[in-house]
Amino acid sequence: MFSRAVLLLIAISLLATALAGVAAAEGAYVEATGSVNVRRGAGLGYSSLGTVEKGTRLTYLNSSSVDERGVIWYLVRYNASTQGWVSSVYSRLVNLDQWVTATDGQTYIRSEGNLSGKGLGVLPKGASATYLNQSSVDERGVAWYRVRYDGVTGWVSSRYTSLSSAAVASRVTATDGKTNIRSMGSLYGEIWGVLPKGATAAYMGSSTVDDRGVIWYLVSYEGVTGWVSSRYTTLK
């Protein structure tokens, strides 16, 4: 019987392959705006795999993360056999198919990337706004995304939203009964909706692996955006 560690490694390997395929379809890339380390994880505490110089373009693997300082990190392909993370402080994401989704109730769209910004509108829970490839960090260390939604352009907090890529022509289909759509990629996520058996949802280009080694997909179905387990769905 495989150990939990081996199963986790297999799941991560499958996830990396899936993400690489989506990235190739979209042609998204991360461009270094200065000399930047490619790290083994999304944070300064992870070791460096190497350094790329200003102007270098790296294939974006459709996954972003925010560290404890509120800095956004991008998962990229470093070379033919290696992937790693680069900080948004020294790089920029070039991708017109980026979305920011409200994950925790109604989220204010503000005129500035901080709580002092004037309220310009609201991003409803589960709704997705176009990401305008700009981010900032406020005085508390919280990351903010610049977005456009329903004719309004402004900033939303990363505390109540998630950043992802909309995959081209990718769908997730429920294969085993009704599948819960959750607020996060784990069994601890709040249930926001249900994907009926045989129903197909739009894949939003972001995946994660839970503590059991199970892959979860971020999807959009009938106005609800959330996570579904790969144990009960297939990605095509």
Side-chain angles (χ1 to χ4, degrees), residues 34-204:
S35 180
V36 59
N37 287 315
V38 181
R39 297 187 180 274
R40 296 183 184 276
L44 294 177
Y46 292 92
S47 59
S48 174
L49 296 168
T51 303
V52 296
E53 300 304 317
K54 181 178 179 179
T56 302
R57 293 183 178 184
L58 302 167
T59 301
Y60 177 54
L61 297 181
N62 290 317
S63 185
S64 303
S65 182
V66 179
D67 67 18
E68 67 280 358
R69 300 169 301 145
V71 174
I72 301 170
W73 292 72
Y74 305 124
L75 182 64
V76 299
R77 183 159 300 286
Y78 179 49
N79 55 42
S81 60
T82 308
Q83 63 186 38
W85 297 82
V86 294
S87 168
S88 63
V89 175
Y90 307 105
S91 66
R92 70 187 186 99
L93 177 63
V94 181
N95 182 0
L96 299 180
D97 293 322
Q98 283 282 294
W99 301 89
V100 172
T101 302
T103 56
D104 189 11
Q106 292 190 335
T107 300
Y108 284 111
I109 302 174
R110 297 184 181 274
S111 59
E112 301 175 26
N114 55 57
L115 293 177
S116 299
K118 178 182 177 182
L120 303 175
V122 171
L123 184 63
K125 180 178 179 179
S128 295
T130 302
Y131 176 53
L132 299 180
N133 292 319
Q134 284 185 267
S135 60
S136 67
V137 179
D138 66 20
E139 66 280 357
R140 300 168 300 152
V142 176
W144 290 71
Y145 306 124
R146 190 162 184 261
V147 301
R148 180 182 297 113
Y149 178 74
D150 198 23
V152 176
T153 298
W155 298 82
V156 293
S157 170
S158 64
R159 286 195 169 179
Y160 312 108
T161 60
S162 65
L163 175 64
S164 62
S165 299
V168 176
S170 292
R171 313 288 292 179
V172 172
T173 302
T175 57
D176 188 10
K178 292 182 178 180
T179 301
N180 289 323
I181 302 174
R182 296 183 180 272
S183 60
M184 58 189 295
S186 81
L187 294 177
Y188 301 107
E190 178 185 351
I191 297 175
W192 284 353
V194 172
L195 184 64
K197 182 177 181 179
T200 298
Y203 175 54
M204 301 300 289

